[in-house]
Amino acid sequence: FYKIISDYERYPEFLSEVKSCRILKEEGGRKLVEYKVSVIKTFTYQLWMSEKEPESISWEFAGGEVFKTTSGSW
């Protein structure tokens, strides 16, 4: 499960609403990932993803067009 959810750039292959997903940069054990999704309208947002393989992935909002904040973890 961890390998699937940490392979961000393959999200469009199994999540139809995700149109693109790419890693913009890596720093300090985190990855800045940009998501382009289409749910009623198309929008883009960025999340800082912190990985603790193979146990968990957490995210923190970095910026975007629709959300003001979001955080969570798997």
Side-chain angles (χ1 to χ4, degrees):
F1 182 72
Y2 182 88
K3 290 193 181 281
I4 293 169
I5 63 171
S6 64
D7 193 357
Y8 311 108
E9 294 175 336
R10 294 189 70 181
Y11 278 25
E13 294 178 22
F14 60 90
L15 296 170
S16 61
E17 63 275 356
V18 178
K19 301 308 175 192
S20 68
C21 191
R22 62 190 179 118
I23 298 169
L24 300 178
K25 68 177 167 178
E26 296 184 43
E27 70 178 38
R30 305 185 307 165
K31 295 177 181 173
L32 181 60
V33 181
E34 180 178 78
Y35 299 82
K36 182 176 184 180
V37 299
S38 183
V39 181
I40 301 175
K41 78 174 238 167
T42 301
F43 58 95
T44 304
Y45 61 94
Q46 298 85 37
L47 301 176
W48 279 109
M49 308 300 287
S50 298
E51 301 174 353
K52 294 180 184 168
E53 189 176 357
E55 299 152 5
S56 67
I57 296 178
S58 60
W59 60 88
E60 181 181 331
F61 184 70
E65 299 172 350
V66 175
F67 300 117
K68 293 191 186 276
T69 186
T70 183
S71 63
S73 64
W74 292 102

